[in-house]
Amino acid sequence: MLAPVAGNWQSGAVAHSSLTNGNVSFWYDEVGFPVRKPALAESLSCDVCIVGAGYTGMWTAYYLKKAAPNLRVVLLEQQFAGYGASGRNGGWLTNSVTGGRDQYVSSHGKESALAMQSAMNHTVDEVIRICELEGIDADIVKGGELNAAFNPAQHERLLEWAAEEHSWGYDDVQVFNKAETLSRITLPNVRSSIWHPHCARIQPAKLAQGLRKVILELGVELYEDTTVVEIGIHQAITAQGTVHADHVIRATEGFTANLKGVHRQVLPMNSSIIMTEPLPEAVWEEIGWSGYETLGDMAHVYFYAQRTADNRIAMGGRGVPYRFGSKTDTNGTAQASTVKTLMNLTRKHFPQTQNFEFEHVWSGVLGVPRDWSAAVNYVSSTGEGSAGGYVGTGVTATNLAGRTLADLIQGKQTELTNLPWVNHRVRNWEIEPLRWIATHGLYAAYGLADTREQNSSSSHTSVIATLANKITGRH
């Protein structure tokens, strides 16, 4: 366990002398770390081998065992189930289609794009249903998602977003003016906000560990502390032995770059979260936030936040976006500049926290494909499959991916297997140092665009951000 970081973190009136930095995440402070299952000891054979025990791997295993209890399903994990983004994320169970719906209109038609959005909307409720069915208490509150605008350009993007949603027939998306927004959450200098109901706040580690318990009870064989170094046709190779399987599924998300042969398929993007101490009721009476909406903004380098079940504020953002060579962290330690940024961001939007401590900060990696669009891939002739590239929307998308993979593995043709993200292919990321230069340069550009928009009365999105979107392929 990492010791708390003592020291010179200073923001406002309070010196933060006991801020825990890393140790995976605050979420595990609450639930505790699981007693790890033994590592793989020798080679074995099974029906389905899943590499990576995050949400994707565990949901796939869950739906497979529910549909076909006699299948031998083996799950391999380099640390413990839920160690990666699944146990570190911001806790947004939301309906966002990674990469946007418009990408599917040109490739598959509007009906397919609508089907993808409908599937994501349904998946929010499916996760809630399974948690209720299986007795998983993940602090779920379905309060919707609220995104705030703080300058004219952000407000204009907000209105464009609302107009697009309404043009697609989604009339449950609402725009709130300043007064209406402040009646929900007190945010200094807010201009407007946009809300939709298809989002719930969760405690990520509680979901991960609850799901871990359920799949073990279903008979899934989980081998933790087992690092897969290479995946081949019908096999997953580790130092302890090789697992041979009819179907091998890669569910490694941000850690994909550690595998031989797929180093450039997914870029591991860093994101970080800071957590306040529990705030007293008097503070919450001033802030509001009684609906427990997830909260974000319309900036290009956006923040994401939630009010936790024990009345803390969790505030997340990108920080240092990428490590050279697609390196991934080991224990969630956030860099000093990121800690300062998140402290200042929280104080800015919630000045009521000025005299209260920050207790925990951590980082994690999320998977970013070259076109910023998630995919579920499966080759029936070889039994090879994968899912990932969620770019931060994985709390919901992993469940949809798990259900889809379960159908594909069983050879079923369903509404899920016909969704447009199935067998979506994308080119690799550039080699280093181009990857590092481009990622840091583009995020610097987004940051500059945010600064210019904040200091401008113009309602037009910065041309810097527009150009950066074209270069990155973001929709």
Side-chain angles (χ1 to χ4, degrees), residues 315-470:
M315 176 71 76
R318 283 291 180 264
V320 178
Y322 173 71
R323 292 181 173 90
F324 188 87
S326 291
K327 289 184 173 62
T328 54
D329 72 275
T330 56
N331 210 33
T333 303
Q335 294 173 302
S337 59
T338 300
V339 178
K340 182 178 180 181
T341 296
L342 291 175
M343 284 182 172
N344 291 339
L345 191 64
T346 307
R347 301 292 196 211
K348 173 184 176 181
H349 291 297
F350 298 101
Q352 301 91 344
T353 64
Q354 191 70 26
N355 295 317
F356 295 93
E357 292 274 359
F358 292 101
E359 289 193 351
H360 205 132
V361 65
W362 68 95
S363 293
V365 296
L366 50 97
V368 181
R370 186 62 182 83
D371 66 349
W372 296 71
S373 299
V376 174
N377 293 305
Y378 182 74
V379 181
S380 58
S381 61
T382 61
E384 296 173 281
S386 65
Y390 307 115
V391 197
T393 65
V395 179
T396 309
T398 49
N399 176 277
L400 181 59
R403 286 186 285 136
T404 305
L405 282 168
D407 284 351
L408 290 166
I409 289 167
Q410 295 174 85
K412 296 178 179 179
Q413 290 292 319
T414 66
E415 290 182 357
L416 298 185
T417 63
N418 288 324
L419 289 173
W421 72 335
V422 174
N423 289 328
H424 172 75
R425 305 290 180 177
V426 63
R427 67 185 176 89
N428 285 342
W429 282 92
E430 290 76 6
I431 61 172
E432 295 290 25
L434 297 178
R435 198 158 65 242
W436 187 93
I437 293 170
T439 304
H440 281 262
L442 288 165
Y443 266 89
Y446 284 129
L448 178 59
D450 283 331
T451 299
R452 290 194 174 185
E453 289 179 1
Q454 193 60 39
N455 295 327
S456 172
S457 60
S458 173
S459 62
H460 296 294
T461 290
S462 168
V463 294
I464 298 172
T466 301
L467 179 59
N469 285 339
K470 289 181 178 180

Side-chain angles (χ1 to χ4, degrees), residues 117-155:
Q117 184 64 76
S118 178
M120 287 297 292
N121 291 356
H122 168 74
T123 300
V124 173
D125 294 324
E126 171 68 2
V127 173
I128 295 171
R129 183 185 75 84
I130 295 299
C131 286
E132 292 175 349
L133 176 69
E134 301 292 356
I136 299 172
D137 181 3
D139 295 341
I140 297 175
V141 177
K142 191 181 180 186
E145 176 184 331
L146 186 76
N147 288 279
F150 294 95
N151 58 55
Q154 290 185 15
H155 174 67

Side-chain angles (χ1 to χ4, degrees), residues 111-406:
E111 288 302 314
S112 288
L114 282 165
M116 187 71 199
Q117 184 64 76
S118 178
M120 287 297 292
N121 291 356
H122 168 74
T123 300
V124 173
D125 294 324
E126 171 68 2
V127 173
I128 295 171
R129 183 185 75 84
I130 295 299
C131 286
E132 292 175 349
L133 176 69
E134 301 292 356
I136 299 172
D137 181 3
D139 295 341
I140 297 175
V141 177
K142 191 181 180 186
E145 176 184 331
L146 186 76
N147 288 279
F150 294 95
N151 58 55
Q154 290 185 15
H155 174 67
E156 188 63 27
R157 286 198 295 276
L158 184 152
L159 295 178
E160 291 171 356
W161 180 8
E164 181 183 12
E165 293 299 306
H166 294 157
S167 73
W168 282 70
Y170 299 115
D171 295 329
D172 52 8
V173 174
Q174 299 179 47
V175 172
F176 299 131
N177 62 27
K178 179 175 183 176
E180 291 167 331
T181 303
L182 292 173
S183 72
R184 301 174 78 100
I185 307 178
T186 303
L187 296 165
N189 303 313
V190 72
R191 286 174 174 260
S192 59
S193 62
I194 184 171
W195 177 88
H196 70 79
H198 305 289
C199 186
R201 177 214 71 188
I202 71 162
Q203 207 279 31
K206 287 186 177 181
L207 176 58
Q209 294 311 305
L211 190 54
R212 178 183 186 270
K213 179 176 182 291
V214 170
I215 64 171
L216 289 173
E217 292 171 349
L218 290 173
V220 173
E221 298 174 41
L222 172 62
Y223 296 94
E224 296 176 312
D225 290 320
T226 301
T227 300
V228 174
V229 295
E230 184 177 0
I231 297 174
I233 297 176
H234 299 308
Q235 62 181 9
I237 302 169
T238 81
Q240 298 100 315
T242 298
V243 176
H244 302 274
D246 295 332
H247 312 270
V248 179
I249 306 300
R250 173 171 56 78
T252 47
E253 187 56 351
F255 293 92
T256 300
N258 296 333
L259 288 167
K260 183 178 178 180
V262 291
H263 182 71
R264 290 165 50 204
Q265 281 192 14
V266 178
L267 184 142
M269 185 75 71
N270 297 303
S271 198
S272 303
I273 301 175
I274 200 163
M275 186 76 73
T276 69
E277 65 178 303
L279 304 177
E281 187 58 35
V283 172
W284 286 112
E285 288 177 3
E286 185 177 345
I287 294 174
W289 212 346
S290 59
Y292 291 87
E293 307 94 329
T294 59
L295 175 66
D297 70 345
M298 298 299 298
H300 304 290
V301 184
Y302 52 83
F303 74 79
Y304 52 94
Q306 67 153 277
R307 176 181 176 179
T308 68
D310 62 345
N311 289 323
R312 304 168 186 267
I313 293 174
M315 176 71 76
R318 283 291 180 264
V320 178
Y322 173 71
R323 292 181 173 90
F324 188 87
S326 291
K327 289 184 173 62
T328 54
D329 72 275
T330 56
N331 210 33
T333 303
Q335 294 173 302
S337 59
T338 300
V339 178
K340 182 178 180 181
T341 296
L342 291 175
M343 284 182 172
N344 291 339
L345 191 64
T346 307
R347 301 292 196 211
K348 173 184 176 181
H349 291 297
F350 298 101
Q352 301 91 344
T353 64
Q354 191 70 26
N355 295 317
F356 295 93
E357 292 274 359
F358 292 101
E359 289 193 351
H360 205 132
V361 65
W362 68 95
S363 293
V365 296
L366 50 97
V368 181
R370 186 62 182 83
D371 66 349
W372 296 71
S373 299
V376 174
N377 293 305
Y378 182 74
V379 181
S380 58
S381 61
T382 61
E384 296 173 281
S386 65
Y390 307 115
V391 197
T393 65
V395 179
T396 309
T398 49
N399 176 277
L400 181 59
R403 286 186 285 136
T404 305
L405 282 168

Side-chain angles (χ1 to χ4, degrees), residues 43-98:
S43 297
L44 56 81
S45 297
C46 62
D47 297 305
V48 182
C49 175
I50 303 169
V51 180
Y55 289 152
T56 300
M58 289 193 285
W59 280 126
T60 304
Y62 173 82
Y63 287 104
L64 279 172
K65 291 295 284 186
K66 281 290 190 177
N70 292 329
L71 282 178
R72 186 180 185 187
V73 179
V74 169
L75 191 51
L76 305 177
E77 167 57 42
Q78 66 175 345
Q79 295 285 344
F80 61 83
Y83 168 82
S86 299
R88 308 190 201 185
N89 63 79
W92 284 38
L93 179 67
T94 193
N95 72 337
S96 298
V97 175
T98 310

